[in-house]
Amino acid sequence: MSPSFIETQLPISKLSKESYKERKSNYSQTLTGLGKWWGRKPLILVRATILGLLLPSTDDPKRDREIFLKLLMMDEEGLWLRKTKAISLKEVWERLNTKERQEWFAEEGKLRAKITKDEREALQKLVFGKLSYDHKLEYCDRPEQMDNLSESAWQEINAHLGTSATNLSEFVQQLGIKRFGHIPRVGDAFCGGGSIPFEAARIGCEAYGSDLNPVAALLTWAALNIVGGGEEVAEQVREAQQSVYDAVDQQIREWGIEHNELGWRADAYLYCVETLCPECGWKVPLAPSWVIAAKYGVIGELVTDDFNKCIQIEIREDANSHQINLAKKQGTLSNSQLICPHCNQTNPIQAIRGDRRMKEGTQYGLRLWKNNDLVPSADDVLQERLYCIRWIETYLDEKGLKKTRRHYRAPDKSDLQSEVMVLELVKARFANWKEKGYIPSRKIEEGAETTRLFREKGWTHWHHLFNPRQLLLYGLISDFSFQKAHLNIEKVSLILRLGCCLNWNSKLVIWNSDISKGPGSTEQTFVNQAFNTQYNYGIRTVTTLEKTFFGVDINSCNLGNDSKILSADARQVIESCDFWITDPPYADAVNYHELSEFFLAWYEKHIPKLFPDWYADTKSALAITGRDSHFRESMSECYCNLANNMPEDGMQVVMFTHQDASVWADLALILWASGLRVTAAWCIATETDSGLKVGNYVQGTVLLILRKQTSDETAFLDEIYPKVELEVKRQLDEMLRLEDKEEPNFGDTDYQLAAYAAALRVLTQYKTIEDIDIQYELSKTRKKGDKSPIVEIIDNAVKIACDYLVPANFDSFIWKSITPEERFYLKGLDIESHGEYRSSVYQELARGFGLKDYKFCLETSKANENRLKTASEFANKNLGDLGFGSSLTRTALYAIREVVTSEEAQKGKMLLRSEVRDYWQQRRLIIEILKYLGTMEYKIPHWDKDAKAATLLAGAVDNDSL
Ligand SMILES: C[S@@+](CC[C@H](N)C(=O)[O-])C[C@H]1O[C@@H](n2cnc3c(N)ncnc32)[C@H](O)[C@@H]1O
Ligand SMILES: [Zn+2]
């Protein structure tokens, strides 16, 4: 079996940048608009993975890479085709050299006369060509937004691979037929939000997707069938949405519950919790800040009401900046303490709730809500009150044109009556709607994330997370959805639209009053991966939910092949796939099964009707979480099953978040025990700013490439070590050989990571290793500090890599003769000169050199700001201490500092002569170190002075004679 492209190379730097671009585009991402899921993988990463699996690796790796980039439209031509934004005249001017400026410009800011359209295009192309990859991307659409490659690109691709494709689907199918005799089948048994099956289907594969969680299965089904249903489905869905929206709007108008007597319509209601101050007995409203909309000077002003013994909230729309600041500071809640504006005493909320610590754990103080409670009952400790309504008034201006203006008001009597009416309306429908599944009836199960709902609010059922207005609105949406929609596709789409509304409008949303939020707005429920209860929250109305209800336009496509989506435990999957690509819940610490109940509670009665062979339960007992022995065993069962459902020449890719060696070792063990062997590993920066390789490295996504383990060979541990050494070196040589000097593909950490992969490759190629009992290692409960034999092999591999990677401009022979501490320092400078400040990188490097302590070398050790001391910063610290303090490098640094302070190279030289015992024998070595430090002059700005001194000193030592 010849290797696949992805087993020999992957353009990880460009891919990281593309993934980052996709992530950053937020709501215009293709699948995110369908509904919330945690940890969706970028589609470009999935596309690259599948193509990388399908593409063979030929004996011309350079051409392989060019073709691969072409397919992804990440080559020069592809980028140019993707360019949709014009480069500004200012930027054009800045990028041109003098000659070019004369050729194109009359003067700065003004092009010469009579420039044709074609010329303008040529100028754009000229400048575009000068930009770096990141910079180019700013002007480009994403590859997935492009219809097709150019005809000439297909000619080149076909010539290289012996295909005859005119588009990506044909290409994928032809390669599949060459390799497997049929269209390639790609499966994901942990499909989550559906990125993997969706992208597989979009580029022409047959797709299979399943997830233990039915909410995930629903999102994946929608990805393939709604987004993948083409224009026709998109239109159907839109019409269905419109008719439901109109019906809901009509009903709300008829009831008049979002209007006031002046005919204004409400577009936000703000509520807060209220409680009695334990000190003075007054009723106090709770909020961390009383600013409502900073930009428009809207605040709530707290006023004492002696008669009713409570604090009233008056709404002001004309606050100046001083008053706004005051309202911000005068929150009645800070650090979980109630601050009473009447008596100025503070009391912890925990005490107000009456929580008590018992032997068996904390006993909640709050009354637990009954199923049919819709609001707090009269004697509950935490009450709730409506304190502000944002109204929209529509009027005609003097020209007779329709205009709107906003008003913020405290609720008046009729508004409060309207609240009562809403409650009555919900009560009247409660039983019927629950019966039909239009509103939830499910109980909240206690779990890691949900416990706080009981403790902080007393909520026991999922509908308690919504206020009566929200319940009424959602009940109506569901009711009309099932009245109006006939096709499954319409029903699923409407259910998911409801889900989006739930996320953006529950009692768990923050009211954001920042200036940037204009009139104030609500955030989503899941701003992070937790249930965050609030003391004050804002709710939306029909009009402010409109955008969420309709969602962004579906970026639709037509998926031709069959796909199959199921809710199923990965252990139970019985489908066979050529490629399994999975992103298991491994070390990501998201409690999918608990968080998704928030949605499932609203879907559960519909799912079995829509999908008779699915279940509607999160099956929390089967959900894979944690990292203990039970977790390892269940993961191994899953992967064993997937390996069994794959042909001999099939392959797998497992994605996981890059962390330390023990995470790698665990996963390696799991996969190895499942009958798989590692053939390659790559790390792509997919999350947040790591696309730019800043921020923390743990955010990278590792792709482990695997094949079936078919060998019968057994090895001994001591045979493994030398093999790992050879493999690490081979891998590093290969990477260095493929590296592009102009636009580096690999960073420092990628080389270290390559060592992990090399170790796993050697290890997993055997059926067994005599000294490792796989089953025992899987089931073992590890104590802190316990090192499995696999971790030791990996650690050793990293050591080999660190020693092998001599910094640029350093003699590799001399490198071997210096101590590990010196190597750490000198290599560290090399890394620092690449703009690397992440602590994890220096930590890993120190581990690689086997150092326990390296902090003495650091000038700053703050996260993401790590950097090494310069010669001047070292001054005379640690001089003469064992280890680094008495090394040649340390003495050389001291001598440099001497040159800097005395401004005389000779003084530095004299110091070296007297401090270095066998100066004359060591002279070459000293010169090498000094010269290397001298190269930092242009690489690290704060080395300027010291580096110049190092170069001078190197000259002086070089010219020295007896
Ligand atoms: C990291 S997410 C996958 C995200 C997905 N790749 C995407 O792009 O959206 C992991 C998924 O594994 C699912 N899961 C957990 N235990 C499972 C099991 N035993 N069988 C199948 N799926 C499981 C979770 O529900 C979750 O959706
Ligand atoms: Zn008080």
Side-chain angles (χ1 to χ4, degrees):
M1 270 176 263
S2 56
S4 287
F5 179 81
I6 203 170
E7 292 179 292
T8 54
Q9 54 172 326
L10 197 66
I12 53 183
S13 162
K14 290 186 174 143
L15 208 45
S16 296
K17 289 170 180 160
E18 297 280 357
S19 298
Y20 178 65
K21 183 179 167 69
E22 183 176 332
R23 267 289 151 74
K24 234 180 25 176
S25 64
N26 266 326
Y27 302 109
S28 82
Q29 287 179 60
T30 304
L31 301 183
T32 43
L34 284 175
K36 185 78 197 173
W37 200 252
W38 304 267
R40 272 202 182 88
K41 284 284 169 270
L43 297 170
I44 184 69
L45 178 63
V46 179
R47 180 176 294 200
T49 304
I50 299 174
L51 290 175
L53 286 167
L54 270 175
L55 237 60
S57 172
T58 72
D59 46 17
D60 186 353
K62 200 166 151 275
R63 188 67 184 148
D64 288 348
R65 182 172 57 205
E66 286 163 5
I67 293 296
F68 184 76
L69 290 173
K70 254 185 202 314
L71 280 163
L72 290 166
M73 301 196 84
M74 283 158 57
D75 62 330
E76 279 305 317
E77 187 204 29
L79 285 163
W80 174 245
L81 286 174
R82 287 164 54 192
K83 177 177 171 292
T84 46
K85 293 188 198 76
I87 307 172
S88 72
L89 215 53
K90 182 164 172 278
E91 172 103 37
V92 170
W93 171 267
E94 278 163 13
R95 299 269 165 188
L96 295 186
N97 60 34
T98 325
K99 200 169 145 268
E100 291 162 335
R101 285 178 184 171
Q102 281 165 359
E103 192 183 324
W104 290 97
F105 280 81
E107 60 190 81
E108 186 174 348
K110 197 169 161 224
L111 287 177
R112 68 172 159 73
K114 292 198 196 119
I115 285 199
T116 65
K117 208 168 154 229
D118 286 351
E119 283 174 326
R120 226 176 252 274
E121 186 84 343
L123 177 58
Q124 287 277 317
K125 196 164 186 174
L126 172 71
V127 175
F128 189 66
K130 293 176 187 245
L131 304 179
S132 67
Y133 198 88
D134 311 69
H135 208 143
K136 281 193 180 104
L137 286 189
E138 289 174 20
Y139 296 95
C140 291
D141 277 352
R142 302 194 299 272
E144 60 168 322
Q145 292 165 312
M146 304 299 296
D147 283 341
N148 202 351
L149 317 184
S150 71
E151 228 169 88
S152 63
W154 282 120
Q155 273 164 16
E156 285 183 59
I157 294 166
N158 289 332
H160 183 64
L161 292 159
T163 45
S164 59
T166 61
N167 61 42
L168 206 51
S169 296
E170 284 175 18
F171 176 75
V172 163
Q173 295 177 6
Q174 289 176 16
L175 281 191
I177 287 168
K178 269 184 188 224
R179 174 114 155 231
F180 303 109
H182 54 250
I183 295 176
R185 191 141 199 270
V186 174
D188 178 1
F190 299 92
C191 66
S195 293
I196 295 167
F198 173 77
E199 191 60 20
R202 187 160 66 165
I203 63 171
C205 304
E206 274 181 18
Y208 168 81
S210 57
D211 195 291
L212 181 68
N213 196 308
V215 178
L218 195 67
L219 288 167
T220 304
W221 188 90
L224 284 135
N225 295 281
I226 299 179
V227 179
E231 271 311 308
E232 200 183 321
V233 166
E235 189 49 37
Q236 264 170 357
V237 163
R238 239 200 70 81
E239 276 169 20
Q241 285 175 359
Q242 189 68 53
S243 70
V244 171
Y245 182 83
D246 292 344
V248 170
D249 186 41
Q250 172 75 17
Q251 180 64 80
I252 298 281
R253 281 170 190 275
E254 272 170 28
W255 284 332
I257 50 174
E258 286 186 1
H259 285 85
N260 70 5
E261 290 137 338
L262 297 166
W264 300 354
R265 180 144 194 194
D267 78 347
Y269 289 83
L270 307 192
Y271 295 83
C272 68
V273 168
E274 241 179 357
T275 193
L276 296 182
C277 166
E279 308 290 337
C280 65
W282 275 41
K283 203 174 207 183
V284 181
L286 298 184
S289 147
W290 292 103
V291 181
I292 293 171
K295 184 170 176 187
Y296 297 104
V298 187
I299 58 167
E301 212 163 44
L302 302 185
V303 183
T304 45
D305 175 348
D306 288 309
F307 182 76
N308 292 307
K309 288 204 168 152
C310 70
I311 304 289
Q312 301 290 2
I313 308 165
E314 283 177 8
I315 305 299
R316 294 188 62 157
E317 293 180 293
D318 59 352
N320 59 30
S321 58
H322 171 71
Q323 290 160 327
I324 293 175
N325 272 336
L326 213 62
K328 198 175 203 164
K329 281 200 213 115
Q330 282 178 340
T332 42
L333 186 98
S334 171
N335 295 328
S336 302
Q337 304 261 341
L338 161 101
I339 308 164
C340 176
H342 174 246
C343 69
N344 289 326
Q345 302 285 334
T346 58
N347 275 282
I349 289 291
Q350 227 173 340
I352 294 175
R353 290 197 305 244
D355 295 353
R356 275 190 302 161
R357 205 164 296 170
M358 312 287 276
K359 250 216 246 101
E360 327 68 76
T362 307
Q363 194 179 34
Y364 312 138
L366 294 181
R367 176 189 75 93
L368 294 181
W369 285 32
K370 296 224 177 50
N371 182 350
N372 53 3
D373 282 337
L374 296 171
V375 288
S377 63
D379 46 3
D380 276 344
V381 174
L382 301 184
Q383 294 292 316
E384 222 167 63
R385 86 181 247 187
L386 172 64
Y387 68 97
C388 179
I389 306 173
R390 192 174 72 196
W391 297 101
I392 303 294
E393 177 195 0
T394 309
Y395 65 99
L396 298 180
D397 69 0
E398 55 276 24
K399 287 188 200 128
L401 295 173
K402 217 180 198 184
K403 290 267 167 74
T404 58
R405 60 186 156 221
R406 226 179 269 117
H407 305 277
Y408 297 80
R409 294 279 188 275
D412 63 16
K413 231 188 189 156
S414 80
D415 298 326
L416 295 176
Q417 274 166 5
S418 164
E419 291 289 288
V420 174
M421 178 171 170
V422 168
L423 189 58
E424 291 309 316
L425 286 166
V426 179
K427 278 188 182 156
R429 287 158 182 75
F430 192 61
N432 178 273
W433 277 358
K434 271 168 76 127
E435 166 74 31
K436 291 195 165 129
Y438 295 166
I439 55 176
S441 26
R442 215 179 173 90
K443 264 170 79 173
I444 303 173
E445 299 294 332
E446 288 222 31
E449 296 297 336
T450 49
T451 306
R452 56 188 298 189
L453 299 174
F454 296 86
R455 187 180 62 231
E456 294 168 6
K457 294 289 184 183
W459 296 338
T460 55
H461 288 71
W462 287 104
H463 67 270
H464 293 156
L465 276 61
F466 301 88
N467 136 316
R469 279 191 179 274
Q470 293 169 323
L471 287 176
L472 185 62
L473 187 56
Y474 296 151
L476 272 187
I477 293 180
S478 296
D479 199 343
F480 283 121
S481 294
F482 285 91
Q483 282 179 41
K484 308 243 169 216
H486 304 292
L487 304 172
N488 268 10
I489 205 123
E490 296 168 341
K491 290 181 189 160
V492 172
S493 135
L494 287 164
I495 291 180
L496 290 178
R497 290 326 313 160
L498 175 73
C500 291
C501 293
L502 299 171
N503 183 29
W504 284 95
N505 186 40
S506 75
K507 288 200 283 190
L508 301 191
V509 302
I510 294 171
W511 176 256
N512 193 337
S513 60
D514 291 352
I515 293 218
S516 65
K517 296 291 168 179
S521 78
T522 54
E523 301 287 339
Q524 55 175 325
T525 300
F526 293 107
V527 279
N528 56 12
Q529 297 152 354
F531 293 113
N532 302 298
T533 60
Q534 306 296 333
Y535 289 94
N536 66 321
Y537 63 90
I539 77 166
R540 299 189 179 201
T541 64
V542 174
T543 44
T544 28
L545 264 183
E546 181 177 355
K547 270 205 183 116
T548 308
F549 180 73
F550 284 100
V552 286
D553 277 346
I554 300 173
N555 182 7
S556 62
C557 56
N558 263 310
L559 303 184
N561 295 314
D562 283 350
S563 61
K564 188 165 183 180
I565 309 299
L566 279 178
S567 60
D569 183 355
R571 282 162 281 211
Q572 305 292 328
V573 166
I574 46 166
E575 301 283 328
S576 174
C577 288
D578 304 312
F579 299 133
W580 285 104
I581 303 177
T582 47
D583 164 27
Y586 180 71
D588 70 355
V590 183
N591 278 304
Y592 296 96
H593 56 286
E594 289 186 40
L595 301 181
S596 60
E597 289 269 331
F598 175 87
F599 297 109
L600 189 62
W602 294 80
Y603 306 160
E604 67 170 333
K605 293 224 167 139
H606 313 311
I607 287 180
K609 290 189 200 138
L610 293 163
F611 303 99
D613 47 355
W614 296 14
Y615 49 80
D617 175 341
T618 46
K619 306 252 179 205
S620 51
L622 298 175
I624 292 184
T625 51
R627 260 191 69 193
D628 60 1
S629 58
H630 172 70
F631 161 82
R632 288 194 294 266
E633 284 166 323
S634 12
M635 277 279 281
S636 170
E637 280 165 31
C638 291
Y639 280 94
C640 217
N641 184 34
L642 298 187
N644 288 334
N645 283 301
M646 175 174 102
E648 291 304 290
D649 53 353
M651 290 174 71
Q652 292 209 31
V653 175
V654 175
M655 302 182 177
F656 68 101
T657 320
H658 175 61
Q659 278 169 6
D660 61 17
S662 69
V663 171
W664 278 75
D666 264 1
L667 193 59
L669 198 66
I670 290 165
L671 296 169
W672 189 28
S674 314
L676 294 163
R677 89 188 140 87
V678 176
T679 63
W682 308 105
C683 185
I684 310 289
T686 46
E687 247 86 345
T688 60
D689 281 344
S690 49
L692 309 173
K693 291 237 167 184
V694 294
N696 221 325
Y697 196 56
V698 282
Q699 289 157 327
T701 294
V702 178
L703 311 184
L704 271 191
I705 321 298
L706 304 140
R707 284 183 184 258
K708 265 197 180 174
Q709 159 50 271
T710 47
S711 123
D712 275 327
E713 264 186 273
T714 298
F716 288 92
L717 257 186
D718 51 4
E719 289 171 57
I720 294 285
Y721 281 94
K723 288 201 169 141
V724 168
E725 177 160 357
L726 282 178
E727 184 59 19
V728 169
K729 290 180 179 167
R730 190 199 62 77
Q731 168 85 58
L732 296 179
D733 285 341
E734 173 84 10
M735 287 168 78
L736 290 167
R737 195 169 60 79
L738 278 172
E739 185 57 318
D740 184 345
K741 283 245 158 53
E742 298 296 304
E743 227 174 298
N745 183 34
F746 303 118
D748 298 294
T749 43
D750 294 315
Y751 289 101
Q752 290 172 14
L753 192 123
Y756 284 60
L760 300 192
R761 207 160 36 233
V762 172
L763 197 72
T764 59
Q765 86 194 22
Y766 297 100
K767 188 174 179 75
T768 45
I769 307 273
E770 276 300 338
D771 327 58
I772 303 179
D773 179 343
I774 303 187
Q775 287 313 325
Y776 168 73
E777 292 291 339
L778 269 185
S779 61
K780 191 164 134 184
T781 323
R782 270 189 219 120
K783 285 187 227 81
K784 216 174 167 214
D786 262 5
K787 256 194 186 181
S788 76
I790 301 186
V791 172
E792 286 191 26
I793 293 174
I794 293 177
D795 277 352
N796 186 54
V798 175
K799 246 181 229 160
I800 294 165
C802 279
D803 279 344
Y804 196 63
L805 293 167
V806 180
N809 304 316
F810 207 98
D811 181 272
S812 62
F813 185 74
I814 293 185
W815 183 248
K816 293 204 183 82
S817 67
I818 59 176
T819 68
E821 284 94 347
E822 292 177 283
R823 284 185 228 163
F824 168 80
Y825 180 77
L826 297 170
K827 178 77 191 168
L829 279 181
D830 190 34
I831 291 179
E832 189 181 319
S833 76
H834 300 156
E836 187 61 80
Y837 304 107
R838 292 171 292 177
S839 39
S840 53
V841 176
Y842 293 91
Q843 227 165 39
E844 189 98 335
L845 187 71
R847 249 170 44 119
F849 287 119
L851 304 188
K852 287 216 168 59
D853 183 25
Y854 62 96
K855 291 270 156 62
F856 60 86
C857 286
L858 296 183
E859 177 61 14
T860 39
S861 54
K862 270 200 235 152
N864 295 327
E865 287 178 31
N866 276 208
R867 77 167 180 80
L868 298 162
K869 281 190 166 70
T870 62
S872 297
E873 284 161 350
F874 261 120
N876 51 11
K877 282 179 211 104
N878 318 89
L879 262 185
D881 288 1
L882 275 182
F884 190 68
S886 45
S887 71
L888 209 55
T889 301
R890 181 65 193 91
T891 316
L893 287 166
Y894 190 45
I896 292 173
R897 190 229 182 198
E898 181 64 28
V899 177
V900 172
T901 45
S902 69
E903 297 185 6
E904 279 179 53
Q906 291 309 316
K907 288 221 167 134
K909 189 189 77 181
M910 294 318 288
L911 188 148
L912 284 170
R913 269 198 186 198
S914 68
E915 294 295 317
V916 180
R917 207 165 357 110
D918 27 8
Y919 173 79
W920 294 106
Q921 282 89 336
Q922 303 271 37
R923 210 154 62 103
R924 282 285 117 225
L925 191 51
I926 298 174
I927 295 171
E928 184 69 23
I929 294 172
L930 288 172
K931 273 192 177 157
Y932 172 75
L933 294 173
T935 62
M936 297 302 147
E937 182 181 345
Y938 307 102
K939 295 183 180 167
I940 309 181
H942 55 262
W943 261 87
D944 184 56
K945 232 184 334 160
D946 287 16
K948 282 194 181 113
T951 307
L952 283 177
L953 185 55
V957 177
D958 204 10
N959 291 329
D960 202 9
S961 59
L962 275 171

